[in-house]
Amino acid sequence: MAQTAQEWPDIPYLAWRDTCSALHLYFQVVGKYRLARTPWVNHSWHATLYPNARGFTTGLVPDRPGGIELSFDLIAHRIIGASTEGRQASFALEPMSVAAFHAHVLELIEFLGGTPKMDDHPNEVPDQIPFESDLSERPYDADAVHRFFRASVSISSVFYKFRTSYLGKVSPIHLFWGSFDMAVTRFSGRRAPLHPGGVPSLPDAVTREAYSHEVSSAGFWPGGGGVDFPAFYSYAYPAPPGFADAKVAPGAAYFDKTLGEFLLPYDDVRRAGDPAAALLAFLDTTYRAAADLGNWDCANLECAPGEPRRPRLV
């Protein structure tokens, strides 16, 4: 039980809401650097961050003189920058303003020899304040951040296993810094109706490109945006008739009519006898609802889950 508590720690949103809000904006600053330097990839996959052994990373960003990587070390609580020319530098994650964090990141990029220029405005958040003008002191609860990281490791492992049983187009396991959610998305292969847009502080062209094709998407929020608890979600675009009434697992999952998607509280997963199995059931059954009701070509899109050292049989 102690091992389960370590792998699926308690991360009550309201207890670290202010730190979570700050971390969300810090991820936006680092993500904006990747966005500014990386050629566009479908569905904004070029802009996301990826889980790694110590937190989250941009991966290698194309920038002079070769490339730069920025990483959140959520064990040592530092931002680490490295260049392909051998330069490395870091600064501490600690209480500060968003403006101070933004300035530190620009200084770090410049020291590494990169291009310290990016858009100064956060996306997908209410009351948008430019980074350099956001002068309010923000807290930093290192213990809560580390527990969030530990949860993210366990979640990404289940997401990855889920990803292996799909032959069709499927996203990486990545974190969208705009909405601050870790996600995995499956595609039917068919075009979708034009998305209406309207996402706060996000150009409609970005939203419409992201939803250019039919999807079944699942992910994890630490909380916020009207959900005051950490939760898993799953939705379909476009949602087929009957999707909201589909029976999904586990029993704690439900359809939120306001959000238009299924939710599963993280606490119900971490308290389950087998948390990974509970989460995988949610991923499988909500996808099944989208695919079956949407008449996806499942026979040609699905396969058995991947196993180490075993090529898929054809």
Side-chain angles (χ1 to χ4, degrees), residues 29-108:
V29 172
V30 170
K32 288 273 187 175
Y33 169 63
R34 185 176 187 216
L35 177 67
R37 303 301 307 169
T38 309
W40 201 279
V41 176
N42 48 265
H43 318 298
S44 299
W45 292 354
H46 64 297
T48 57
L49 304 181
Y50 311 107
N52 68 6
R54 299 187 67 89
F56 290 86
T57 179
T58 60
L60 190 62
V61 176
D63 201 356
R64 63 188 187 194
I68 287 174
E69 179 177 13
L70 300 182
S71 300
F72 285 84
D73 184 333
L74 302 183
I75 297 176
H77 303 286
R78 301 191 69 81
I79 298 296
I80 299 173
S83 77
T84 54
E85 298 300 295
R87 289 194 173 194
Q88 185 169 345
S90 68
F91 65 88
L93 282 166
E94 58 189 4
M96 69 179 83
S97 67
V98 174
F101 180 88
H102 178 251
H104 288 329
V105 169
L106 295 183
E107 290 169 2
L108 182 61

Side-chain angles (χ1 to χ4, degrees), residues 18 197 267-268:
D18 292 341
D267 281 350
D268 287 286

Side-chain angles (χ1 to χ4, degrees), residues 1-288:
M1 194 71 179
Q3 184 66 21
T4 299
Q6 181 181 4
E7 293 178 354
W8 298 88
D10 190 14
I11 47 172
Y13 173 67
L14 295 179
W16 74 298
R17 175 170 51 188
D18 292 341
T19 292
C20 186
S21 176
L23 195 66
H24 180 186
L25 291 169
Y26 299 162
F27 273 55
Q28 293 224 9
V29 172
V30 170
K32 288 273 187 175
Y33 169 63
R34 185 176 187 216
L35 177 67
R37 303 301 307 169
T38 309
W40 201 279
V41 176
N42 48 265
H43 318 298
S44 299
W45 292 354
H46 64 297
T48 57
L49 304 181
Y50 311 107
N52 68 6
R54 299 187 67 89
F56 290 86
T57 179
T58 60
L60 190 62
V61 176
D63 201 356
R64 63 188 187 194
I68 287 174
E69 179 177 13
L70 300 182
S71 300
F72 285 84
D73 184 333
L74 302 183
I75 297 176
H77 303 286
R78 301 191 69 81
I79 298 296
I80 299 173
S83 77
T84 54
E85 298 300 295
R87 289 194 173 194
Q88 185 169 345
S90 68
F91 65 88
L93 282 166
E94 58 189 4
M96 69 179 83
S97 67
V98 174
F101 180 88
H102 178 251
H104 288 329
V105 169
L106 295 183
E107 290 169 2
L108 182 61
I109 293 168
E110 186 169 27
F111 172 80
L112 296 172
T115 308
K117 294 181 181 179
M118 66 183 76
D119 180 69
D120 190 43
H121 298 79
N123 295 118
E124 300 184 62
V125 296
D127 305 320
Q128 186 188 51
I129 302 173
F131 299 136
E132 64 180 11
S133 301
D134 193 339
L135 303 174
S136 299
E137 186 81 0
R138 307 288 183 127
Y140 188 81
D141 183 339
D143 178 66
V145 170
H146 184 253
R147 283 185 280 115
F148 163 69
F149 165 63
R150 289 300 312 162
S152 298
V153 171
S154 295
I155 292 164
S156 63
S157 177
V158 178
F159 281 10
Y160 187 87
K161 183 176 181 179
F162 173 70
R163 186 181 188 272
T164 65
S165 57
Y166 201 69
L167 297 174
K169 177 177 169 181
V170 60
S171 76
I173 311 304
H174 50 191
L175 184 141
F176 283 99
W177 39 263
S179 47
F180 203 42
D181 62 311
M182 192 158 55
V184 58
T185 303
R186 291 177 171 185
F187 293 77
S188 75
R190 300 188 302 236
R191 291 297 297 260
L194 186 67
H195 195 283
V199 177
S201 305
L202 190 70
D204 286 347
V206 174
T207 307
R208 288 169 177 156
E209 193 275 340
Y211 292 101
S212 62
H213 289 70
E214 292 179 344
V215 301
S216 172
S217 189
F220 169 74
W221 287 309
V227 179
D228 289 335
F229 53 89
F232 300 97
Y233 66 80
S234 182
Y235 64 87
Y237 182 79
F243 181 68
D245 299 318
K247 294 187 181 299
V248 300
Y254 63 95
F255 190 82
D256 186 296
K257 294 182 179 179
T258 301
L259 296 174
E261 51 199 71
F262 287 99
L263 293 182
L264 173 62
Y266 168 82
D267 281 350
D268 287 286
V269 170
R270 75 179 185 87
R271 291 170 180 156
D274 187 339
L279 175 53
L280 195 58
F282 178 72
L283 300 174
D284 282 335
T285 57
T286 53
Y287 157 72
R288 186 88 275 140

